[in-house]
Amino acid sequence: MKKTFLLLFVLSFAACSSESDPRASASEGDSGAKSPGFWLDSADFYIARTPFAELVNLEPEVSQHYVWFQNEYTDTRDRDFWVVELSKLERVNKAVMRAKSDRLALPDELKIGREQWSDWQKADAKKSFEAELGLRYLEDERRAANDLYRKARFRKNETQACLEIWLDLKPTLDSARQAFESGR
C-alpha cells in the first residue's frame, strides 16, 4: 500500500513539473480560456448577422418622430405615454444613430483584431518573445477579442430588438400625434 501511494505521488509530482511551453496550451485553449481566434470568429458571426442597414434606413422616419415629439408634444397628462412610449422612441433613435457608425466601425475593429492575432501567432511561432511576455500578449489579445465579441453580440441583439420595438411603436406614435393635432 505504501509503495502504491509513493508511486502515485512520484508520478503526480512528475506530471506537475514538466517543462512544456505554457503558450502552446494557452493558445490552443487547453487552459480553459478560448483563443482570440475563437472570439474573433464569434464576433464576425454576429457582425455579419446584424441588420445595421435596416435600422439605418429607418433614420428619416425615426428622426422625424423623435424631433416632433421632443418639440411639439406638450400633453403631459398621460404619464405612462411619456415614460414608456417616448423612452422606447429614445432607445430606437439612439440605436439608429449608433448603427450608422457601428456598421463601419465593427468590421474595421474585427479586421484589426485579426491582424493583431495573426501577428501574435507569427511572433509566437518564431519564439520572438519570452514565454511570460508571450502569455501576457496573448491575454491582451484574448481580452480585446472577447470585448469585440461582446460588443458585436450586444449590437446585434439591440439592433434586432429596436427593429421589433419600432414595428410596435410606430402605430402608437402615429395615433398619439394624430389625436394631439386634431385636439388643437
Side-chain angles (χ1 to χ4, degrees):
M1 179 77 165
K2 286 183 179 181
K3 289 182 182 180
T4 306
F5 177 74
L6 185 59
L7 179 63
L8 287 173
F9 178 75
V10 170
L11 289 174
S12 297
F13 183 74
C16 290
S17 65
S18 66
E19 289 293 322
S20 64
D21 185 353
R23 291 180 293 187
S25 64
S27 64
E28 294 169 8
D30 293 343
S31 66
K34 303 285 189 217
S35 76
F38 171 83
W39 294 118
L40 292 169
D41 289 345
S42 298
D44 189 19
F45 174 85
Y46 283 106
I47 291 168
R49 287 161 179 76
T50 303
F52 290 119
E54 284 181 54
L55 199 56
V56 170
N57 289 340
L58 293 177
E59 181 187 10
E61 192 173 22
V62 170
S63 179
Q64 184 258 342
H65 278 80
Y66 184 78
V67 168
W68 188 88
F69 277 96
Q70 291 294 318
N71 296 330
E72 303 295 327
Y73 193 71
T74 57
D75 183 2
T76 59
R77 291 174 291 160
D78 189 358
R79 192 172 172 90
D80 286 342
F81 183 81
W82 279 88
V83 172
V84 178
E85 305 306 329
L86 293 183
S87 292
K88 289 178 187 177
L89 178 59
E90 179 75 33
R91 180 180 174 185
V92 171
N93 188 61
K94 185 177 178 180
V96 167
M97 296 302 124
R98 188 168 301 266
K100 289 170 61 176
S101 63
D102 281 350
R103 73 176 173 176
L104 302 173
L106 286 175
D108 285 347
E109 288 180 45
L110 179 64
K111 180 182 175 193
I112 291 168
R114 287 198 188 281
E115 289 169 357
Q116 290 175 328
W117 175 230
S118 176
D119 290 347
W120 184 92
Q121 289 175 308
K122 290 172 190 171
D124 185 55
K126 293 178 186 177
K127 305 291 185 220
S128 299
F129 34 68
E130 293 181 18
E132 187 176 313
L133 183 59
L135 284 174
R136 200 167 345 144
Y137 289 153
L138 174 63
E139 187 55 35
D140 289 346
E141 293 302 322
R142 183 181 293 131
R143 189 175 303 115
N146 181 271
D147 289 348
L148 178 59
Y149 156 75
R150 288 182 313 178
K151 184 177 179 180
R153 186 183 69 190
F154 175 80
R155 290 289 170 252
K156 177 184 181 292
N157 293 338
E158 180 66 5
T159 298
Q160 288 181 318
C162 286
L163 286 169
E164 291 171 15
I165 289 169
W166 182 250
L167 289 176
D168 291 337
L169 182 61
K170 185 182 178 317
T172 304
L173 295 176
D174 289 342
S175 175
R177 182 175 180 171
Q178 187 177 31
F180 181 78
E181 289 177 338
S182 67
R184 281 188 176 177

